[in-house]
Structures are given as C-alpha cells and as structure tokens.
Amino acid sequence: MTIFLRNRRAGAAATATALALASLAALAGTATPASASGRATVSGPAATATALAPDSAAASKSASPAASASPASASPASGDPAAPAALTLPRPTGPYATGRDTLFLTDHERTDPWVPAAGPRRLLVSLHYPARPGSGGGPAPYMPEEEARLMLAQRGLDDPKWPGLVAATRTFSRTDARPAPGRFPLVLLSPGFGTPRATLTGLAEELASRGYVVATADHPYESTGTELPDGRVLTCAACDEVAAQPDDAGRRKVLAAVSAGRAADFSFLLDRLTGPRPAWRHARTIDARRVGMAGHSIGGNAAASTMAADRRVDAGVNMDGTFFDPVTARGLDGRPFLMLGTDPGHAPGAGDTSWDESWTRLDGFKRWLTVRDSGHFTFTDTPAIGEQLGIVDPDAPLSAARSTTITRAYVTAFFDRSLRGRPARLLDGPTPAHPEVLFQRP
C-alpha cells in the first residue's frame, strides 16, 4: 500500500493542487480530522537541547482506545483481515550497523509560528548514524503509540489493534550504539505535512548503513501528533490553518509558509549539530563540509527552501512534493537537485506545474525522475507497513519491495554523487534493473 487515505484518490489528470495535497486531503477537506480538533499549547520552560536516552521515553505511552471501523478505501489484501503479530521495516543494505539518538531542541530566537502562545520553536530530531557492530542496547522504537493512533485515525484507519502494532514496528537501529570511526556526510530529512518523522525511518536507516549521519526532524504543530518528552502530544495547528483558508490561493500561501518555516528549522538544527557547542554527543562524527537534504511532500519543497536560505546545504531531493515555496529565479547557486515523484502525476505537463517551473530554475546537476505505478507515499515507510497490515491501494500497485528498493537506490546514488564525488551510473539514464523509473527530459 502506498497511501492511507479515506475516499481520496489522485488520478493522472489531477490538478497541481489536488495532487500535491493528496496527503492533506483529510486535513483540509470537509471532515475534521482527529488531529485538528484544537491547538494544543505548550507552556513552561524547556531545556535548550535535551538528549532523550535511551530513546524510549516517548514511545512507552499507551494510546486511548479507538472505535473499530473498516476503512472506506483500504481493502484487505486477502480474505483474512487479521493483523500480523509484528511489523518490521525493510532491513538496511549497507555495510554499517546503525545507531539512533533523539534530541529535543529549543530555538529561543524564534516563537512558534503556529501557536505563538507555546513560546519558542521546538524540534524533535531522530539521529541515525553508522555504528560499531554489536554495540548499543535494544532496537530503537519506531514511534509513540499515540502518534500512531492519530496518524492512522486521520487516514480513516480506526482498528484499535493497529496503533500498537505500528508503534512497535521493528527497526534495525540500536539505542546507545557507539559510532563507527570516521567522519560522515550529514543528510537532513523532512517528512510530509501532517506526517510524523518516523515515516522516513526506513530511508534514514538505509542512509546510515551506507555511511551517512541522518537527522530527521518533527516540526511541531505540523503533524497529526508529536509527542514531547513529557508526554504531551501536539496536534496539527498548521493543518487547521490550511483548512481555515477560504480558497486555494490562501491554502497555497500557508503551505509556502510551512516550507519556508522548515528552512528556518533546519538552519537552526545545523547550528546545533555543527556549531562550536553542538547539542549531540556524537557530533564529532559529522563532516560539516558535506550536507544534503531530502524530504517527502512538503518536506521535499522544504529541501529547496532550505538550500535557498542556507548555503551550507550542498544538495537536495524532493520526493513528490509541490513547490509551494518556489525555487528562486536565481536558482540554487549551481548545487545539485533531484526531483523524484509519481508517474504520470509528476511527469512534465501532467498537472503539478510547479515542477515544470522549478526545473527551469535549477541551475546545477539535476534529474527529474518519475516512478510508474507509484503513489504519493511510495517514498516513505507506508508501503511496507500497509502491506503487512493487509491493506492495498489499487491506484498505486507498486509493491512495497519495489517502492523501498527504488527509493533507496536513487536517493543514495544522488547523495553518493553529490556529497562524496562517487560515480552514480544509476543517474545516467534508464536501467533494466528499475524499469519503473522514467527519466524526464522536458
């Protein structure tokens, strides 16, 4: 499965906005999602940088019971609707073991843009890194159960068993693992709008296993649920803001602000990871001269926004996101950029004109790739988790295995080329190994 949405589908003829907002449909549509029921407020002081060890405090909470309901557009893959006993992410393929830490950071220079009463902007960040084999504790938790419940409920998946199953998804990173020797390029990851950072865990683990430090940020009030270290859960005030707009122009303006705001988030995060007093205990493993960024949906737009705002980011990847915040007319100072999206939805002239416009402004090495039979969430953990739950999306028949393989292969090849100077023949043109991937040359 590639998309957890109820009664919403994006066809080949979808307009730019309809396609780009596929992941936001339940948030900005007529129904009020479980996550947009009010603007939670954060009060009280917080540490500027808090390391959460052993990475399990936020994952131990229990979810509230949810009413059982059959998803309107999700159908079991077989006649047996029983969920599996356990879920697992695809195993990373690189030579390194992987570790994971979590940071809770506070930017005292900025007020939260969505809930000013909450005080300064805060970020929760997962750090995946190459680790020494055999070191560390148990597997890092996937996500808190309440975050899983809110994410599933927003997509119309209300089976009371599923939040616990999704939260307990097996990962391949260890808590408290000792870093592998050496210094490694840094990749920043930004999730889709309304989507928890955990949904990019599979890609983060793969990159870490191949010798990258990966920092994946949750942007508070921009996800169905973000659980803070003290157990409070922040819901999606930014989604409420989108839904409150009277027209498409208003929604686009808010979403452009989301992307630009994430650029500020990541500049702050770079300061805290690579500055003179880094917040992370293993910051010495980061090579600050080699930094890339990738994101899904609005997070992909944020990769371009961050590159425009911060010269420290050397390369970017947009995975199926509309450029609500356009690439500037001056380009990205010759830095490389990869656009990886659905086909035909993100093919040239197919509906999302922001890709056509941005392509002409990208002024460095660039590739425009689309993937046949894919869906908006193909480039996240959703296919693997959904397939194990027995859910399929007939509009996106690409298997979880192929979704995972393609995303890993092309994102890794791009960063190997851009940050390490390695040959990346995969980016030269079509290959029989990946017949679903189309090279667009508008």
Side-chain angles (χ1 to χ4, degrees), residues 1-3 189-192 199-204 294-297 317-321 338-343 346 355 369-384 398-400 402-408 410-411 436-437:
M1 171 191 171
T2 55
I3 188 164
L189 291 183
S190 187
T199 56
L200 293 177
T201 299
L203 178 58
H296 171 246
S297 196
V317 179
N318 180 350
M319 297 183 292
D320 213 52
L338 169 66
M339 303 193 311
L340 176 64
T342 53
D343 189 271
H346 270 123
W355 277 43
L369 309 180
T370 56
V371 184
R372 280 193 295 247
D373 295 332
S374 62
H376 186 58
F377 288 94
T378 285
F379 313 99
T380 72
D381 297 342
T382 304
L398 192 68
S399 70
R402 291 302 298 155
S403 298
T404 297
T405 297
I406 289 168
T407 303
R408 287 176 166 182
Y410 284 91
V411 172
E436 307 93 338
V437 178

Side-chain angles (χ1 to χ4, degrees), residues 34-380:
S35 63
S37 56
R39 298 190 176 199
T41 300
V42 176
S43 60
T48 298
T50 304
L52 308 182
D55 224 8
S56 59
S60 62
K61 308 298 262 185
S62 300
S64 326
S68 178
S70 298
S73 64
S75 54
S78 67
D80 181 8
L87 308 179
T88 184
L89 293 179
R91 183 181 294 275
T93 65
Y96 289 98
T98 61
R100 196 188 81 178
D101 277 347
T102 301
L103 292 179
F104 181 47
L105 304 174
T106 301
D107 184 356
H108 293 285
E109 301 299 318
R110 287 190 299 145
T111 299
D112 190 277
W114 308 114
V115 184
R121 183 67 161 168
R122 293 173 172 87
L123 296 179
L124 270 166
V125 182
S126 295
L127 284 151
H128 290 84
Y129 55 94
R132 295 178 184 268
S135 67
Y142 185 63
M143 69 162 63
E145 190 166 336
E146 181 65 4
E147 286 189 12
R149 187 188 69 79
L150 290 169
M151 179 184 72
L152 292 166
Q154 181 265 315
R155 289 153 173 81
L157 301 175
D158 300 321
D159 189 307
K161 300 184 297 295
W162 286 0
L165 282 168
V166 172
T169 298
R170 184 196 172 189
T171 70
F172 289 89
S173 298
R174 298 279 174 172
T175 60
D176 293 323
R178 289 183 295 146
R183 301 182 71 204
F184 305 97
L186 172 65
V187 173
L188 310 172
L189 291 183
S190 187
F193 188 59
T195 306
R197 74 186 189 279
T199 56
L200 293 177
T201 299
L203 178 58
E205 290 191 330
E206 174 69 10
L207 288 168
S209 79
R210 292 182 171 273
Y212 293 89
V213 174
V214 185
T216 310
D218 250 338
H219 310 270
Y221 302 109
E222 297 175 20
S223 170
T224 48
T226 301
E227 186 167 298
L228 301 183
D230 63 6
R232 287 175 295 168
V233 178
L234 310 183
T235 54
C236 196
C239 302
D240 294 339
E241 192 70 26
V242 171
Q245 299 307 305
D247 53 29
D248 183 60
R251 289 187 287 272
R252 285 177 167 274
K253 185 176 181 180
V254 175
L255 291 166
V258 170
S259 186
R262 291 190 179 193
D265 287 345
F266 280 106
S267 287
F268 164 69
L269 177 56
L270 276 173
D271 291 343
R272 301 302 289 122
L273 291 178
T274 65
R277 291 185 296 173
W280 185 38
R281 57 180 173 167
H282 301 312
R284 66 185 183 280
T285 64
I286 295 174
D287 182 350
R289 300 167 300 173
R290 297 181 290 172
V291 179
M293 181 170 170
H296 171 246
S297 196
I298 199 74
N301 187 183
S305 297
T306 304
M307 290 178 70
D310 198 320
R311 194 62 182 82
R312 291 175 292 181
V313 182
D314 302 302
V317 179
N318 180 350
M319 297 183 292
D320 213 52
T322 288
F323 293 92
F324 292 105
D325 183 28
V327 174
T328 63
R330 63 177 173 80
L332 296 176
D333 301 318
R335 286 168 288 171
F337 202 88
L338 169 66
M339 303 193 311
L340 176 64
T342 53
D343 189 271
H346 270 123
D352 188 347
T353 58
S354 75
W355 277 43
D356 301 81
E357 294 162 0
S358 295
W359 178 257
T360 63
R361 295 179 174 185
L362 296 173
D363 55 346
F365 174 86
K366 58 185 180 180
R367 289 293 183 268
W368 182 341
L369 309 180
T370 56
V371 184
R372 280 193 295 247
D373 295 332
S374 62
H376 186 58
F377 288 94
T378 285
F379 313 99
T380 72

